[in-house]
Amino acid sequence: MSRTPPSRPLLPSEPTTGPHIGMIWAQARNGVIGAAGTMPWHVPEDMARFRNLTHGSPVIMGRKTWDSLPERFRPLPGRTNIVITRDDATSRELAEESAVPASSLEEAVELAKARAESAHRVWIMGGGAIYAEAVEKEIAGLASVTRFDLEVDGDTYAPVLEPQQWELAAAEPASGWSISESGIGYRFETYQRI
Ligand SMILES: NC(=O)c1ccc[n+]([C@@H]2O[C@H](COP(=O)([O-])OP(=O)(O)OC[C@H]3O[C@@H](n4cnc5c(N)ncnc54)[C@H](OP(=O)(O)O)[C@@H]3O)[C@@H](O)[C@H]2O)c1
C-alpha cells in the first residue's frame, strides 16, 4: 500500500520515511509547563497550533496528562490517544474510554508507529515525566516548543534541551513575541536533535 505524502514538510535533516517522533509542549520563561494538574494559562493560538500539528497523528501522553484533559474532550478527536500507566486497573479503564493503554514509553512508541497509517509523525504530548524520559532516552528527533513571555508558579517543568544535542531549526516570529488575544506574548520554536 502506498503512503500518502506528508501534509506538512519534514525538516531537511529528517529521512523521508517515517513516522518520526516529535515532542510538543508550551512553557513559561521559567520552564513551567504545569501547575496542580493543569496548565496555568489560556492561549487560544497555542491550542490551535497544537490541534493543527497533532491532528491525524497518534499522540502519546502520561496518565496524569490524560487525567488533566476535560472528560468531554478525551480521547482527543482525530488522533489515536496512547496513554502510559503502570497500573493494570487504570489500563482497563483507559481502554473502556477508547484510549490505548501502554505500560512503558517504548511500548507506547511501538503502538503509535503501528497506528500511524499515513501520518508522518507521532507526537509525545506530555507531561513532565514523559518528556524527561523521552529526552533522556533520545526517543524524539524534534521538539515543537511554544514559549510564553510569562513567569508562573508551577510544579511541572519542561525538559532541558542541551545545546550540544539540540539546535533551533525554526522560530516564529524570528525575534520578539507575537501577542495572543489573551494578551500574553508567545513564540513558536522548532528544535531538532543534532
Ligand atoms: N504545557 C504543556 O505543554 C503540557 C503538556 C502536557 C502536560 N502538561 C502538564 O503536565 C502535568 C502532568 O505531568 P506529570 O509529569 O505530572 O505527569 P505525566 O507525565 O502526564 O504522567 C505521569 C504518569 O505517567 C505514567 N508513567 C510515567 N512514566 C512511566 C513509565 N516509564 N512507565 C509506565 N508509566 C509511566 C504514570 O502513571 P500511573 O501513575 O497511572 O502509573 C505516571 O504517574 C499537568 O500539570 C499537565 O497539565 C503540560
Side-chain angles (χ1 to χ4, degrees):
M1 200 174 73
S2 68
R3 296 175 74 91
T4 53
S7 56
R8 286 173 291 273
L10 295 166
L11 292 172
S13 62
E14 292 186 301
T16 49
T17 55
H20 305 279
I21 314 296
M23 300 180 289
I24 184 165
W25 72 78
Q27 67 172 87
R29 278 203 312 269
N30 56 349
V32 165
I33 64 165
T38 185
M39 284 189 273
W41 49 68
H42 177 73
V43 178
E45 295 86 348
D46 179 54
M47 293 171 73
R49 180 177 169 88
F50 175 83
R51 191 170 51 249
N52 287 340
L53 285 178
T54 61
H55 200 272
S57 297
V59 290
I60 294 170
M61 72 193 93
R63 190 267 307 162
K64 292 182 182 173
T65 294
W66 169 265
D67 283 348
S68 78
L69 301 174
E71 280 186 33
R72 67 183 187 285
F73 293 137
R74 70 189 199 206
L76 295 174
R79 289 149 280 196
T80 300
N81 288 213
I82 299 167
V83 184
I84 308 173
T85 178
R86 297 185 177 88
D87 185 70
D88 290 341
T90 304
S91 290
R92 287 192 290 276
E93 287 168 17
L94 287 164
E96 283 165 16
E97 283 197 69
S98 302
V100 177
S103 60
S104 67
L105 179 55
E106 288 82 354
E107 185 191 356
V109 168
E110 288 313 308
L111 288 168
K113 285 182 172 174
R115 286 165 171 75
E117 299 179 359
S118 63
H120 71 273
R121 199 175 296 289
V122 163
W123 288 102
I124 294 172
M125 54 163 281
I130 302 299
Y131 295 134
E133 185 175 343
V135 168
E136 188 197 326
K137 293 182 175 172
E138 301 186 356
I139 283 175
L142 176 142
S144 175
V145 181
T146 302
R147 292 187 187 274
F148 296 132
D149 187 18
L150 187 75
E151 296 236 353
V152 288
D153 291 336
D155 52 31
T156 315
Y157 289 83
V160 175
L161 300 181
E162 297 291 353
Q164 307 92 311
Q165 291 177 314
W166 293 86
E167 68 181 12
L168 184 63
E172 186 191 334
S175 64
W177 305 93
S178 301
I179 303 298
S180 163
E181 66 180 53
S182 67
I184 297 172
Y186 68 97
R187 60 191 265 115
F188 298 129
E189 296 182 344
T190 304
Y191 292 84
Q192 61 186 9
R193 192 149 52 82
I194 300 167

